[in-house]
Amino acid sequence: MRRALLLLTILAVGLRAADVTFNRDVLPILEKKCQSCHRPGEAAPMSLLTYESSRPWAKAIKAAVLTRKMPPWSADARYGYFVNDPTLTAEEIRILTAWADSGAPEGNAADSRAPVKWPDGWAIQPDVVVSLPHPIPVPAKGVVEVMDISIPSGLTKDTWVTSIEIRPGNRSVVHHADVFIVPHRKDVKCGVPEFEPKARDADGVQIEKMEKEEPKRGLLGLDAIYVPGAPPDDYRLHGAAKLVPAGSDFIIQMHYIPNGTATTDQTRVGFTIAKEKPSRQLVTIVPTSPRDKVHFHIPPGDPNWEARAEVVFLRDAELVWFLPHMHLRGKDMTYRLIYPSGVSETVLSVKYDFNWQLAYDVKTPIVVPKGTRLEAIAHYDNSANNRFNPDPSKDVWWGDQTMEEMMVPYFGVLVKPNVKHNKIVAYSTASDAVK
């Protein structure tokens, strides 16, 4: 009797699997969890907008979802809930797997949904767009130093922006791009790349290492960032905005990595504008671990070297956004809050992936009382077991280039609109960051 029931169950599952079609069952999942990247002009290598473009990838889709490789998401599910979590449910994985196993049928055209109207080229619908004024040449090989390019905002009155999207003109050579909102300087050379030349060895590693640094470094406010895999900075998710004072300049910081072919890039930045002054502003904080050659030195072959950064909140705030950043040896990063009561809470822990440097927007703001410490702990794998490691036999120090390393636990907080950015956090006296 049990064998008969089991056989009936298997047959029923088989029938359900055979009934799975692209138009009715698969397309809604792709629209919800995949197409934001898997469409022309975006980060993913193939389009999943239609049956014709998706069908050849059916088996690859099955393998990717069964191994949880896709959609990319690095956060440990034990800590926190995030509004932008694309993780597939067990039922969604079953549907995609069954579709591939049954020959990837298209199904009835009547079951097909009207296609999602994705923005043309932009993930947001920008009200204002600024651009690098001319293409920036990127050589075929060598090291290109990080450069700052100033551009007038063109805004004649104080403006609150609700989202910022940085769109590289050539993703294949853009390591990262940052946007800073700064007061206009009369002596600024708009559109002219400015950078600091550095002496480097044959491997491109900076020769002169930082001997000592001041404890207040690294807390500059950043206004938007592009790294591979990160979505636009959308403050609307948290009912907030950022202020662009009248007459401000934008500094667009570009870091290029040659890809073997001489090329160019002309990155653009889009903004959406608030219709009224918000009740809260979102401020991005940029702490770092100590960067001098004594405190930041990863020995050859070390599989689990640790770096830390720690700040203390000078006022009440709400924590809403994280973006861990390291380079090719980055292994993991954890954010932990230590409240004034002594109680601690892990709010994010990620298995780091340099190719998908994701941002994490919390579903519910985390209330952070004045006096709370935020501790970020990162680990690096400089061993031969790390297949991305450029050379496990080398010592590694802090640096801008990918063969070097860094530890930057970006995070974003909500505060009242009139709060000064430099009055939100400071380095904790309990942290090595002040030594």
Side-chain angles (χ1 to χ4, degrees):
M1 182 66 179
R2 288 182 179 178
R3 289 184 178 179
L5 288 174
L6 178 60
L7 178 60
L8 287 173
T9 300
I10 293 172
L11 288 173
V13 171
L15 287 173
R16 288 199 299 271
D19 287 341
V20 172
T21 69
F22 180 85
N23 288 332
R24 185 185 63 234
D25 307 296
V26 173
L27 182 57
I29 299 173
L30 299 183
E31 289 177 342
K32 183 179 179 182
K33 300 292 181 70
C34 308
Q35 289 182 1
S36 60
C37 287
H38 285 274
R39 55 192 175 92
E42 296 306 316
M46 79 286 288
S47 171
L48 299 180
L49 293 181
T50 66
Y51 176 73
E52 289 74 19
S53 64
S54 304
R55 170 65 183 83
W57 300 99
K59 291 184 179 179
I61 291 171
K62 172 187 173 181
V65 301
L66 284 176
T67 59
R68 300 283 186 175
K69 181 180 179 181
M70 289 286 156
W73 187 251
S74 301
D76 189 324
R78 294 175 296 174
Y79 308 111
Y81 298 94
F82 302 93
V83 69
N84 60 325
D85 183 352
T87 303
L88 296 172
T89 65
E91 177 63 9
E92 288 170 333
I93 293 174
R94 186 196 71 79
I95 290 171
L96 294 173
T97 301
W99 179 63
D101 288 343
S102 60
E106 181 176 10
N108 193 329
D111 294 332
S112 183
R113 300 154 57 97
V116 172
K117 294 182 178 179
W118 293 103
D120 183 16
W122 295 93
I124 63 173
Q125 295 279 9
D127 299 311
V128 176
V129 176
V130 298
S131 172
L132 295 181
H134 51 78
I136 303 297
V138 181
K141 57 183 180 179
V143 173
V144 179
E145 300 293 358
V146 173
M147 62 186 71
D148 291 343
I149 305 169
S150 295
I151 299 173
S153 69
L155 298 173
T156 57
K157 62 179 181 179
D158 288 357
T159 304
W160 288 92
V161 298
T162 54
S163 66
I164 305 177
E165 179 177 358
I166 303 172
R167 287 198 67 80
N170 188 342
R171 292 177 187 270
S172 69
V173 293
V174 177
H175 169 280
H176 82 260
D178 296 334
V179 173
F180 299 88
I181 300 167
V182 299
H184 176 69
R185 293 186 293 116
K186 291 183 180 180
D187 62 340
V188 69
K189 297 179 180 178
C190 290
V192 178
E194 297 181 356
F195 58 91
E196 179 186 352
K198 296 180 174 66
R200 297 185 176 277
D201 63 20
D203 295 322
V205 176
Q206 184 177 337
I207 294 173
E208 294 184 6
K209 308 298 188 298
M210 185 183 295
E211 293 286 346
K212 187 179 180 181
E213 59 182 330
E214 296 299 321
K216 294 297 183 183
R217 89 287 174 257
L219 292 178
L220 296 175
L222 175 74
D223 293 296
I225 183 171
Y226 164 84
V227 286
D233 295 318
D234 195 342
Y235 319 124
R236 295 170 294 190
L237 293 172
H238 309 293
K242 286 195 175 188
L243 177 64
V244 183
S248 295
D249 290 337
F250 297 131
I251 292 180
I252 302 179
Q253 184 182 89
M254 301 299 306
H255 182 187
Y256 296 110
I257 302 178
N259 64 5
T261 302
T263 185
T264 63
D265 167 74
Q266 192 167 10
T267 288
R268 296 178 296 160
V269 184
F271 304 83
T272 57
I273 307 300
K275 292 182 171 59
E276 57 188 26
K277 183 177 179 178
S279 60
R280 297 179 295 181
Q281 64 167 319
L282 193 149
V283 178
T284 306
I285 308 295
V286 192
T288 72
S289 67
R291 299 177 294 178
D292 61 86
K293 68 179 184 180
V294 174
H295 292 91
F296 199 97
H297 174 203
I298 309 176
D302 193 322
N304 202 46
W305 189 81
E306 182 175 290
R308 291 172 175 256
E310 190 172 295
V311 298
V312 61
F313 280 79
L314 304 177
R315 62 187 314 116
D316 295 346
E318 294 177 292
L319 186 58
V320 295
W321 177 87
F322 307 93
L323 195 156
H325 179 66
M326 298 184 277
H327 289 170
L328 295 172
R329 298 168 185 85
K331 183 177 179 181
D332 58 61
M333 190 181 292
T334 298
Y335 293 73
R336 189 164 65 106
L337 293 174
I338 301 94
Y339 296 101
S341 65
V343 173
S344 65
E345 176 187 14
T346 296
V347 290
L348 175 69
S349 183
V350 302
K351 183 179 179 181
Y352 189 73
D353 185 342
F354 180 77
N355 296 306
W356 291 100
Q357 298 179 49
L358 305 177
Y360 303 86
D361 287 280
V362 302
K363 282 189 175 181
T364 303
I366 302 167
V367 177
V368 183
K370 177 181 177 181
T372 299
R373 286 184 289 123
L374 184 149
E375 178 185 61
I377 304 171
H379 294 98
Y380 299 80
D381 185 354
N382 194 25
S383 74
N385 293 327
N386 177 3
R387 64 190 180 95
F388 299 112
N389 193 351
D391 189 341
S393 69
K394 298 288 188 181
D395 293 275
V396 181
W397 287 273
W398 186 283
D400 294 328
Q401 304 300 322
T402 54
M403 79 286 287
E404 300 167 317
E405 269 300 342
M406 58 175 54
M407 187 267 193
V408 187
Y410 296 99
F411 65 92
V413 296
L414 301 180
V415 292
K416 293 180 179 179
N418 60 338
V419 171
K420 300 295 184 182
H421 293 190
N422 62 352
K423 302 295 183 182
I424 300 173
V425 301
Y427 278 109
S428 169
T429 55
S431 171
D432 282 344
V434 301
K435 295 181 180 178

